[in-house]
Amino acid sequence: MKIETLKTVYTANLKQLRTAKKLSQAELSEKIHITEKFYSDIETGRKWGSFETIVDLANALDVEPYELFLPKGSVISHNEKRTKDLMKRLRSNFSELVDTMEEFLAE
């Protein structure tokens, strides 16, 4: 893949993921502690951002960093780590719900 093609995929994915989460450029840049101008430069392909910025963007958009570079229509294989993370979150939320219900019923 050529570098320009990769950059085009990266910037398109950033914009699509950001808008799907209903975040403005300002909101996303604030979330990852960079300036709106710097984020705009990344999303328009003028800059890439450091590895740390790419990881921060992925985390803020709830994807793995590599997913930012996958061409549209690529099938994402959810690995065991990601599945375990999801299950851990679900268990945690379920436990909180059960605790809240028990407290309510004990009153």
Side-chain angles (χ1 to χ4, degrees):
M1 181 180 289
K2 292 182 178 183
I3 194 80
E4 287 307 313
T5 304
L6 185 61
K7 191 177 278 193
T8 299
V9 168
Y10 175 58
T11 58
N13 285 341
L14 284 174
K15 185 173 185 176
Q16 186 275 320
L17 290 164
R18 177 182 58 76
T19 56
K21 291 216 168 273
K22 297 180 177 23
L23 293 170
S24 67
Q25 287 186 351
E27 291 167 327
L28 182 54
S29 61
E30 183 178 320
K31 199 171 188 177
I32 65 164
H33 311 290
I34 62 174
T35 66
E36 183 179 355
K37 169 75 169 105
F38 184 56
Y39 178 77
S40 176
D41 285 347
I42 293 171
E43 193 173 284
T44 57
R46 289 188 288 274
K47 296 187 178 174
W48 282 91
S50 65
F51 286 118
E52 289 82 8
T53 301
I54 292 169
V55 169
D56 289 345
L57 284 166
N59 288 335
L61 296 168
D62 294 322
V63 297
E64 295 294 326
Y66 75 89
E67 293 177 75
L68 297 175
F69 298 95
L70 291 176
K72 187 174 183 170
S74 295
V75 175
I76 299 170
S77 173
H78 295 287
N79 63 27
E80 188 175 326
K81 180 187 179 304
R82 192 166 183 179
T83 302
K84 284 181 181 178
D85 287 345
L86 174 61
M87 294 306 293
K88 184 178 176 182
R89 281 191 218 165
L90 289 173
R91 279 190 193 99
S92 173
N93 290 337
F94 185 73
S95 293
E96 289 176 25
L97 175 63
V98 170
D99 290 345
T100 301
M101 290 172 66
E102 286 177 342
E103 288 173 17
F104 178 78
L105 294 172
E107 293 177 355

